[in-house]
Amino acid sequence: MGSGPAPPRATAAWATTALLAAALLGCAAGTGRSADAPTPAGTPPERLCADLITHWAGVILDAGDPADAVGLDYQAMGLSGDQYEILRAVLDGARAVRRDEGAPAARAFGAREAERRCAERHRTGTPTDGPWG
């Protein structure tokens, strides 16, 4: 393996990850709240969850299958373990929709399913099983 520049796809994925992580950390910094707590701007945690899942589902669907096509694990994506499980479930359904109805329908399905599953995850408030739950 050489030490040349990273492939463009990997560079773009890492840049996206860095921006998402900086945004999430910046929102939680100085508030005395965890990253799962509402941000000062009032973005509820279920919305942040759905936005992250929708983003990564789109990136992975665009990159091709399987999920490691983008070369990142769940932590590099800025996801918790539970969020990664949601992403995997969303991708399973979105791939079936893409096969039957095409990419736009798969993206729409992914967004709806991410919202539904993240709302369910936060149904009783902020998850309490630690920062990676």
Side-chain angles (χ1 to χ4, degrees):
M1 296 180 123
S3 60
R9 184 185 314 165
T11 302
W14 280 107
T16 301
T17 300
L19 288 173
L20 285 170
L24 289 173
L25 291 173
C27 289
T31 64
R33 301 176 190 164
S34 73
D36 276 340
T39 65
T43 305
E46 59 272 14
R47 169 60 22 216
L48 292 174
C49 172
D51 288 348
L52 280 168
I53 303 301
T54 300
H55 168 78
W56 286 113
V59 168
I60 292 168
L61 287 169
D62 289 348
D65 295 320
D68 64 356
V70 296
L72 301 173
D73 66 11
Y74 74 97
Q75 291 173 328
M77 291 181 204
L79 301 175
S80 69
D82 284 350
Q83 289 169 335
Y84 186 64
E85 292 301 316
I86 292 171
L87 174 63
R88 290 177 52 188
V90 166
L91 284 169
D92 286 345
R95 287 176 181 128
V97 171
R98 180 179 63 190
R99 184 178 53 249
D100 296 340
E101 302 174 38
R107 281 183 166 272
F109 170 87
R112 285 191 312 273
E113 192 66 7
E115 285 186 31
R116 184 186 73 76
R117 289 177 180 268
C118 287
E120 177 62 26
R121 178 179 186 253
H122 292 276
R123 177 179 50 82
T124 58
T126 302
T128 59
D129 53 351
W132 296 108

